Amino acid sequence: MRRGGGVWSRRNGGPRQLRQGLRGMPRRLSISIAVIVLIICFLSLLSLRFTRPSSSAQNYDTNKLWEPADSDGWRSSSAPRSYWPPPPNESNGYLRVRCNGGLNQQRSAICNAVVAARIMNATLVLPELDTNSFWHDESGFAGIYDAEHFIGSLRYDIHIVQSLPDISVNGKRKKIRSFQIRPPRDAPLSWYTTIALKKMREHGSVYLTPFSHRLAEEIDDPELQRLRCRVNYHALRFKPHIMKISSEIVNRMRSEGHFMSIHLRFEMDMIAFAGCLDIFTPEEQKILIKYRKKNFAKKELVYRERRLIGKCPLTPEEVGLVLQAMGFNNSARIYLAAGELFGGERFIKPFRAMFPHLENHSTVGPSEKLEGNARGLVGSAVDYMVSLLSDIFIPTYDGPSNFANNLMGHRLYYGFRTTIQPNRKALAPIFMDREKGRADGFEGRIRQVMFNSKFGGPHKRVHPESFYTNSWPECFCLMAPANPADKCPPHNILEILHGQLQSQRGNDSEPAMMSYRRDSSASQEEVQYGS
């Protein structure tokens, strides 16, 4: 036994090493405890970092938000940067499109139609707006936009006619018949240059309907992306009377200083789409459920889950609480760009109590001039222009909201004007804690969320952000760039394009398929491509 024990002692350390190990245990235990304490302290500090508002958030000067964001040397420019030939004298046929949806969904569709016409070498017929099914408004393209300006601005890019021309058949004059096609959603450029173009050559004209989101947003060719910007931010100019009404409203809002616009997307269609019903009365819930069944696909939606992932629009009261926490006082002048708020006065009253200077196009503008179009395309157009020109814009629900998304992109292009975009997912637990009586540090937590973001400066576009929300860097340039691709176009770019166009036409001859003679002497200011 002793011998066996001796063998064990030699091979396994024996009693001597065991005693040494026991003597070393307190030292190792102390080291382990110290490491655990350090880890706990680190985790505590990390927790404080994310739960306590940073000093920068607490001390942020809200007055800075009334000024545009830092441009970092960038300026908007949608002029071509490389060789951009004028459209050939003879096109492959006529392109008709019917743009469905709301004003800004249609706006994006018009931009896509111009790009499609360019790559197909097609003559674009002035786009049709499906105003009746959504808005019950018969304004049409020419009732909303300045058609002459639209046609003149794009003369270096495509041919445009106001309507299909007549043709002679058996001695009788009749309109060309268009071959109707339903384009795939987010179709690639290749679909237009193959399938659609083939039908155009066969029939002389194609009619693409519906035409909403029918061209992929991400295109590898930056020149085609810049063409979209030329359409969206220069060619699509509202009718003079809309611009006049908008200007009058802006002047009245700004008569006492700065003002902000808020797109309060607390309307029946958006609430029903989001499935956020629990805060409404049983009768209101029935209305929302009925609307959802009629207009959207069946899907089980749980209010708490939807809210936690940021899918519920902010209520008017929540918007007011955010503004208060950010440091805006009750003297702030606010323009509400919104349709009819669901739930009415019950929901707007708390907001008005916090910020009494609330206006809309009916209360501050010459509402009699809007007549019956106050809730139609004209009213939406006025809201768009006032929001574009406001010092601060706040979209309370950015997706799916073409109004908010397009406006954010336009404000970025229009000099990096301040946009405050609430992070609904990050705000949701803060509001839910407050509702349960846990309001400690409420305003500080709000500030931490709200000031941890950009406010309209240049930033990389990351999916699912739309090109129409952020056209940087394609539609922006630098005067002294490190990368040649970011260099601004020459100052005489319009003269270059005009010279190319005149040379192509020769003696001012019109394209073979043009039935509308465009004014080629439009001033440079009318077709200016930069900010």
Side-chain angles (χ1 to χ4, degrees), residues 155-435:
R155 67 186 182 277
Y156 305 127
D157 304 303
I158 62 170
H159 302 313
I160 306 175
V161 295
Q162 291 194 352
S163 61
L164 281 174
D166 293 336
I167 58 172
S168 179
V169 179
N170 298 326
K172 296 181 179 180
R173 303 293 294 177
K174 59 186 297 185
K175 293 286 185 184
I176 295 175
R177 294 193 64 179
S178 303
F179 183 83
Q180 186 169 320
I181 312 175
R182 183 185 182 94
R185 187 177 177 88
D186 299 321
L189 295 176
S190 59
W191 183 88
Y192 291 91
T193 56
T194 55
I195 296 173
L197 183 56
K198 180 182 177 182
K199 293 298 182 183
M200 176 179 288
R201 284 174 170 158
E202 289 176 2
H203 300 274
S205 176
V206 293
Y207 183 35
L208 305 184
T209 178
F211 198 73
S212 172
H213 305 291
R214 301 295 157 168
L215 177 63
E217 285 194 10
E218 292 302 327
I219 300 175
D220 291 335
D221 186 343
E223 290 296 4
L224 291 179
Q225 296 291 55
R226 284 189 273 273
L227 176 56
R228 274 174 161 159
C229 290
R230 290 200 288 280
V231 181
N232 206 9
Y233 307 135
H234 299 285
L236 283 174
R237 187 169 69 185
F238 293 120
K239 296 280 284 186
H241 74 282
I242 294 176
M243 300 295 281
K244 185 175 185 294
I245 293 171
S246 304
S247 178
E248 290 178 8
I249 291 175
V250 170
N251 290 339
R252 292 183 187 184
M253 291 296 298
R254 194 166 280 144
S255 62
E256 298 181 25
H258 296 294
F259 80 98
M260 70 174 69
S261 60
I262 299 178
H263 186 223
L264 201 56
R265 197 68 169 93
F266 200 71
E267 299 154 350
M268 180 170 66
D269 63 328
M270 187 52 65
I271 295 167
F273 172 82
C276 303
L277 315 182
D278 287 27
I279 60 175
F280 297 97
T281 66
E283 287 302 315
E284 290 169 340
Q285 289 187 29
K286 288 179 182 178
I287 295 171
L288 292 169
I289 291 170
K290 181 179 179 181
Y291 185 91
R292 179 171 178 80
K293 286 181 178 179
K294 181 180 178 181
N295 295 279
F296 306 115
K298 185 177 181 181
K299 187 177 180 181
E300 290 297 326
L301 301 176
V302 179
Y303 170 68
R304 177 179 169 78
E305 294 175 359
R306 299 289 288 174
R307 193 174 183 194
L308 284 172
I309 61 175
K311 295 298 183 181
C312 290
L314 294 179
T315 68
E317 181 181 19
E318 288 170 346
V319 175
L321 290 170
V322 167
L323 293 178
Q324 276 190 340
M326 291 182 72
F328 292 102
N329 60 46
N330 64 1
S331 65
R333 294 178 62 79
I334 300 174
Y335 180 87
L336 291 181
E340 185 175 353
L341 300 185
F342 192 73
E345 187 63 22
R346 183 170 90 257
F347 284 96
I348 199 66
K349 188 175 180 180
F351 189 17
R352 189 179 289 111
M354 289 181 268
F355 294 92
H357 300 290
L358 296 182
E359 306 285 359
N360 59 40
H361 62 225
S362 296
T363 61
V364 73
S367 56
E368 69 280 1
K369 296 181 182 179
L370 289 175
E371 298 175 350
N373 288 318
R375 294 182 184 176
L377 285 172
V378 174
S380 183
V382 169
D383 281 348
Y384 185 94
M385 283 307 303
V386 175
S387 297
L388 173 64
L389 298 172
S390 64
D391 301 294
I392 296 173
F393 173 62
I394 304 178
T396 61
Y397 197 78
D398 54 314
S401 174
N402 292 291
F403 183 97
N405 289 331
N406 284 20
L407 199 50
M408 284 190 285
H410 204 157
R411 288 176 64 85
L412 197 73
Y413 190 87
Y414 197 60
F416 302 103
R417 302 174 81 85
T418 299
T419 296
I420 300 175
Q421 192 173 356
N423 184 335
R424 295 184 307 280
K425 184 176 180 179
L427 291 172
I430 303 174
F431 284 121
M432 294 170 82
D433 282 348
R434 180 178 178 273
E435 291 163 9

